[in-house]
Amino acid sequence: DARVTQTPRHKVTEMGQEVTMRCQPILGHNTVFWYRQTMMQGLELLAYFRNRAPLDDSGMPKDRFSAEMPDATLATLKIQPSEPRDSAVYFCASGWTRDGSSGFQSGANVLTFGAGSRLTVL
Amino acid sequence: KQEVTQIPAALSVPEGENLVLNCSFTDSAIYNLQWFRQDPGKGLTSLLLIQSSQREQTSGRLNASLDKSSGRSTLYIAASQPGDSATYLCAVSPNTGGFKTIFGAGTRLFVKA
């Protein structure tokens, strides 16, 4: 059963510490998304990659968040320094998207989510 | 900017009842719409995906409809069961301009035994 794998599942850290979350997308998926979920804001899109290239990271606080995809099997989301307001569940999702004749189009494949990384910053 | 709204925010029904969850979106230029289920403390599980050219999709007791021109989708759950208790989210993907999949805030469903 193909799945998106996220680590760590839980992380408790102190304010100011660096946090790195990792995601292994489903093999063959070319698009990876990072979402953050809180009770107040719901699911917010932070960043996404297509064919390992970052397409949009406008949802991320640029001064402390960074997202990378060093290879097709690994996406990372780093927070440095972390703050209490970063406490949330961070989800990674992958899917397959294709180019359309009028430009980029969303693909037909279902978006598959990982189980999430629950971050608590004290 | 695409905005997705789900009504109601929460719903409590007795077991066996048929129910409808609503999703509306502001930009009708979508490629597809997905309905997800999220159990407490868990990730999201895709339930149904409707392409923009489709009107509905069915899976078991679930039926999702799409009216793209009016910016609306509904998720119909027949003969609800306590195991259906979860949060249901709809998400839309754009037709052009990128791959941003935008989510609604969800409807929290509780089915009483």
Side-chain angles (χ1 to χ4, degrees):
Chain A
D1 211 15
R3 63 179 67 184
V4 175
T5 303
Q6 288 187 249
T7 57
R9 290 295 314 279
H10 302 274
K11 176 75 175 178
V12 179
T13 191
E14 292 188 346
M15 183 173 64
Q17 296 298 305
E18 177 180 302
V19 175
T20 299
M21 289 167 276
R22 294 176 174 80
C23 168
Q24 181 177 355
I26 290 175
L27 190 65
H29 282 184
N30 63 355
T31 309
V32 176
F33 300 80
W34 281 106
Y35 287 89
R36 173 171 65 184
Q37 186 176 43
T38 61
M39 288 292 291
M40 295 299 295
Q41 301 294 329
L43 265 169
E44 301 173 276
L45 179 62
L46 297 176
Y48 64 99
F49 295 77
R50 186 170 184 268
N51 295 328
R52 294 179 55 200
L55 287 192
D56 191 327
D57 60 2
S58 60
M60 288 198 320
K62 297 291 190 306
D63 56 337
R64 298 184 299 107
F65 283 59
S66 62
E68 296 180 347
M69 199 158 178
D71 63 61
T73 65
L74 177 64
T76 63
L77 180 66
K78 186 178 296 186
I79 308 174
Q80 168 63 14
S82 58
E83 297 181 1
R85 59 180 167 152
D86 300 329
S87 298
V89 181
Y90 291 81
F91 286 104
C92 172
S94 73
W96 183 82
T97 60
R98 62 175 175 81
D99 291 326
S101 58
S102 59
F104 288 146
Q105 288 181 352
S106 201
N109 203 16
V110 169
L111 209 58
T112 304
F113 276 74
S117 294
R118 182 176 294 277
L119 173 65
T120 302
V121 183
L122 303 174
Chain B
K1 178 187 171 185
Q2 178 72 274
E3 292 182 4
V4 181
T5 304
Q6 291 188 246
I7 295 172
L11 182 62
S12 180
V13 300
E15 182 178 5
E17 194 162 294
N18 302 326
L19 59 101
V20 174
L21 308 181
N22 297 290
C23 172
S24 61
F25 44 95
T26 54
D27 186 348
S28 61
I30 66 168
Y31 190 83
N32 62 36
L33 182 146
Q34 296 183 51
W35 281 93
F36 291 84
R37 168 184 173 139
Q38 185 176 29
D39 293 285
K42 305 287 187 183
L44 282 73
T45 301
S46 181
L47 298 172
L48 290 165
L49 179 148
I50 311 177
Q51 301 294 347
S52 63
S53 58
Q54 297 175 322
R55 300 284 290 185
E56 65 177 346
Q57 282 287 328
T58 299
S59 175
R61 294 181 295 107
L62 305 179
N63 176 275
S65 68
L66 174 64
D67 184 343
K68 198 173 71 164
S69 61
S70 68
R72 293 181 184 179
S73 175
T74 61
L75 179 66
Y76 174 83
I77 303 177
S80 58
Q81 302 171 357
D84 295 331
S85 299
T87 297
Y88 292 81
L89 300 103
C90 75
V92 296
S93 296
N95 196 26
T96 57
F99 300 94
K100 284 188 178 183
T101 297
I102 304 299
F103 281 79
T107 294
R108 200 163 54 249
L109 173 66
F110 180 63
V111 181
K112 297 171 286 189

